[in-house]
DNA sequence: CATAATGATTATATTCAATAACTATATCTG
DNA sequence: CAGATATAGTTATTGAATATAATCATTATG
């Protein structure tokens, strides 16, 4: 039989640490990969004074002109209340506009400005490039498969 | 041309909200799936008064008897300082032991007790079952593929 | 031996998401 | 139509998770 030092069995390489049980749990594995990618995105977005969440907002607003805050919160699966400051800032920076809807004055129509759309496009390109640092390990097939499988998982579940 | 209401294009279904740009970013997609699975694990672990992080610790200690705290912190990619309270609690609950290493009295050898190992096994089984609520959508092939691809991504990157 | 490095700890700060309460407007129901 | 109920946005507050910095004991190094 080989020494236990050989055949790391699973992840968490380094000094022969094994975690075969954790390694078989998808949640754990997803988190690990996510935690690798997230800081990369964070870093490049910071160059444009964006955080991941504000970039996500800007991006969805860009693609959905006239969206209102609660729809946005819903799309990003976050609390309406936590959106407010983010929207405030995007508006102050002239990246989006916030207009009262005449037919329902409780709601604000959010729309990205030209500047906002351009910034979104530039930032998205940067994030894509940054992600490639990690995704570079995958061939085209694997990349597609990953996105496809994630898509299948993404469909609902108990809230 | 069809109405923009048709062809949701990508995720974030609901009311015709599109996010084609975000949708193509792996970080975003990983996070969404992770955020679906994580609460499920959290819920079942809470039944045994475990949090995700303490379960992870217990699990790795179980698989690596004698591991020391800095190695554990390294394996879980967390700060040593944040481990302390978790280890304290696991020890107080009699799930692990913490023994000074005679050859290096700065370090503690962490080992799971019998109770700890059993709890780990039961908890892991529960988490696996809980994850199946989401993974049920995948056939066996997709599941394997997902784990394989995650494995390829997991290998290092700029810290 | 003096100094630096390491492991564990403590205290502190930052960040983020969740909750509750409030205002304004809109909708529903008798 | 009046009053109750629901919705959109906001504010303030909380708690959890994570990161940072300083400290102490022990070990390694020059």
């Amino acid at each position: 039989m080989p020494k236990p030092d050989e055949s790391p069995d699973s992840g968490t390489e380094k000094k022969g640490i094994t975690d075969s049980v954790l390694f078989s749990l998808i949640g754990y594995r997803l988190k690990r990969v996510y935690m690798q990618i997230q800081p990369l995105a964070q870093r490049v977005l910071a160059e444009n004074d964006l955080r991941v969440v504000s970039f996500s907002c800007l991006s969805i607003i860009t693609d959905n002109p006239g969206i209102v805050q609660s729809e946005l919160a819903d799309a990003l699966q976050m609390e309406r209340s936590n959106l407010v400051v983010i929207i405030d800032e995007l508006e102050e920076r002239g990246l989006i506009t916030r207009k009262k809807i005449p037919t329902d004055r409780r709601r604000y129509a959010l729309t990205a400005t030209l500047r906002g759309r351009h910034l979104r496009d530039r930032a998205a390109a940067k994030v894509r490039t940054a992600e490639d640092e990690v995704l570079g390990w995958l061939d085209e097939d694997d990349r597609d498969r990953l996105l496809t499988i994630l898509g299948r998982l993404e469909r609902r579940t108990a809230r």
Side-chain angles (χ1 to χ4, degrees), chain A:
Chain A
M1 280 304 203
K3 302 162 182 161
D5 264 345
E6 299 303 312
S7 71
D9 166 346
S10 57
T12 324
E13 46 264 77
K14 292 276 177 189
K15 277 289 170 217
I17 301 297
T18 67
D19 60 349
S20 49
V21 170
L22 280 183
F23 199 72
S24 68
L25 299 176
I26 310 270
Y28 177 68
R29 305 285 300 281
L30 283 172
K31 180 174 190 174
R32 289 185 77 92
V33 174
Y34 171 65
M35 296 302 282
Q36 271 188 324
I37 294 183
Q38 204 264 0
L40 302 180
Q42 206 164 46
R43 197 188 61 209
V44 297
L45 289 173
E47 295 168 9
N48 295 106
D49 297 300
L50 288 171
R51 293 183 301 140
V52 170
V53 64
S54 48
F55 166 71
S56 305
C57 289
L58 177 58
S59 191
I60 292 196
I61 295 169
T62 297
D63 286 341
N64 301 273
I67 192 175
V68 299
Q69 288 178 216
S70 37
E71 289 166 348
L72 180 57
D74 205 56
L76 289 175
Q77 292 169 198
M78 60 185 299
E79 294 298 320
R80 305 192 302 288
S81 54
N82 293 326
L83 256 182
V84 178
V85 289
I86 297 162
I87 298 299
D88 282 350
E89 200 211 315
L90 292 177
E91 189 189 19
E92 277 158 24
R93 289 172 61 186
L95 301 173
I96 65 168
T97 62
R98 175 153 53 170
K99 288 203 288 266
K100 268 199 159 54
I101 297 178
T103 66
D104 186 345
R105 304 201 319 279
R106 291 171 302 182
R107 313 206 271 179
Y108 291 99
L110 306 176
T111 310
T113 63
L114 186 63
R115 270 193 62 217
R117 277 173 282 163
H118 285 162
L119 179 57
R120 185 299 276 268
D121 291 341
R122 263 180 290 129
K126 276 190 190 176
V127 173
R128 216 181 307 277
T129 304
E131 286 193 342
D132 280 343
E133 281 183 38
V134 169
L135 292 175
W137 303 106
L138 298 186
D139 59 35
E140 206 50 47
D141 271 3
D142 276 351
R143 224 188 262 222
D144 290 347
R145 247 173 296 201
L146 177 56
L147 285 173
T148 303
I149 295 175
L150 290 179
R152 292 196 185 127
L153 287 175
E154 229 159 319
R155 321 260 154 246
R156 81 95 142 349
T157 283
R159 275 283 209 154

